Structures are given as C-alpha cells and as structure tokens.
Amino acid sequence: MNSGSPFLLYARSRGLPGAVAALAGTAVVTAWAAWWLVSRPGFDHTARLPVVVLGPLLAAAAVGTSLHSPSDALDRTAVRPWWRRRLLHVLVGTALAGVLLALAVPGHAERFGAPAAVRNALGLAGTAAGAGVVVGARLSWLPPTCYVGAVYLAAPDRPGGAAAWWAWVMQPGPEAAAWAVAGAAFVLGTALCAWRGPRRTGS
C-alpha cells in the first residue's frame, strides 16, 4: 500500500467525494442566485444578502455532515490519534467552501460580496463542526440553521452596532466585529471537533 492510502480510506469512509460535489453544487447555485437577484429591475448588489447567508449555510452543512463516521467504535480504538485528520478535514473543507463561494459572488467587497460570503462560510462551518460534538455530525446542520433563521428575522436593517456581534452573518463584508465573531466560532468549533470528534448517535 502507498503512504497515502489511510487518507484515501478516511476520505471514502466520510463520503468526502459527495461533500465536495455538494460544495461545488452550492457554489453554482449561489452564483446563479446572485446574478439573478442583481438582474431584477430595481435591485442592486445589496439584494445578494440572502445569497451570502444561505450559500455559506449550505456549505457549512456539507462540511459538518461529512464528519460522520460509519465506524465510530473503530475510530475511538485506533492506535493513531484521529484529531489531526479531523482538523485537516474541517480546515480543507472550509477552505474549499470559502474559495468556491468567493468565486460565486465577486465584486462589491464593501457590501455583500466575496468577503461576506467567506466570513459566513468560516463562521458557520466552525459552528457546524462544534455542533457535531454535541448533537452528532448528521445533525450538525441544525444549530447553525436555527441561528441563521432566527437572526435573519430579528436582525435590524441598519448594519453595525451591537447587531454586528450577535447578527454577524447579516453584516457587510468589512465589518470588523462580525469577522471577530466568525473567526472565534471557527477556531473554537474546529478545535472542539478535532479534540473530541462528533458525538456518537447510534448505528
């Protein structure tokens, strides 16, 4: 066997090819939706807000659910520690999501363009990874979805202020407070997932 076979086995056991396909599909749909919204009469680039929120949410769901292991008992009794693989898994998945979504919504960096999409992908992927430790990888999409749904309804129309901290997914791209929260969510969620791994949820 070649030295890369353990990583190929890991990728296949987690269904990573399917997750990559889901990320690519999400980017294509996001790009189309962003173009369609801006092309509507009377709309401008600010109409892309739903796209830079929902696109990263779908990408985060793909990253989070791909952490599910079909052989959890074997993983926990393995001789080699799994935290490196889990860490690399989340980092590579999030990086791929960020790159694809940045390409999907180019321009208008000052509002709802690539920076907002990348920030939201970063924060929501970390949230999904951390949620997997609590509710399991298969349901890791649920906490970030509940958060985004609540914030989408409750966030004020005017960006900035206190909302930049609790409604960071709704903020324009350059908002520093929103980046701080998203970065913290990614670091904490990724570290927790790498350390503990997703919760066992039965067969």
Side-chain angles (χ1 to χ4, degrees), residues 12-144:
R12 287 196 296 267
S13 70
R14 266 63 179 180
L16 288 184
V20 171
L23 290 175
T26 296
V28 171
V29 173
T30 299
W32 175 85
W35 169 84
W36 183 83
L37 286 170
V38 174
S39 68
R40 296 299 89 190
F43 282 51
D44 59 15
H45 65 276
T46 59
R48 297 194 298 181
L49 173 61
V51 171
V52 300
V53 173
L54 297 179
L57 178 61
L58 293 174
V63 173
T65 55
S66 70
L67 290 163
H68 171 71
S69 171
S71 56
D72 184 78
L74 292 177
D75 290 353
R76 293 177 185 276
T77 57
V79 175
R80 295 182 179 180
W82 282 86
W83 71 266
R84 294 185 184 89
R85 290 184 175 90
R86 289 193 293 260
L87 178 61
L88 188 63
H89 184 149
V90 178
L91 291 178
V92 172
T94 305
L96 180 60
V99 169
L100 291 175
L101 290 172
L103 295 174
V105 282
H108 304 291
E110 76 284 359
R111 294 294 292 173
F112 301 112
V118 171
R119 180 201 63 216
N120 289 347
L122 189 75
L124 292 174
T127 303
V133 178
V134 180
V135 299
R138 285 178 170 172
L139 291 177
S140 61
W141 57 269
L142 188 56

Side-chain angles (χ1 to χ4, degrees), residues 49 109-113 115-116 119 159-160 168-176 178-179:
L49 173 61
E110 76 284 359
R111 294 294 292 173
F112 301 112
R119 180 201 63 216
W168 52 271
V169 292
M170 304 289 290
Q171 302 301 307
E175 184 64 51
W179 274 98

Side-chain angles (χ1 to χ4, degrees), residues 136-154:
R138 285 178 170 172
L139 291 177
S140 61
W141 57 269
L142 188 56
T145 300
C146 292
Y147 164 74
V148 167
V151 165
Y152 198 88
L153 295 175

Side-chain angles (χ1 to χ4, degrees), residues 86-87 90-91 94 125-127 129-130 185-195:
R86 289 193 293 260
L87 178 61
V90 178
L91 291 178
T94 305
T127 303
F186 177 73
V187 170
L188 293 175
T190 301
L192 183 62
C193 179
W195 175 46

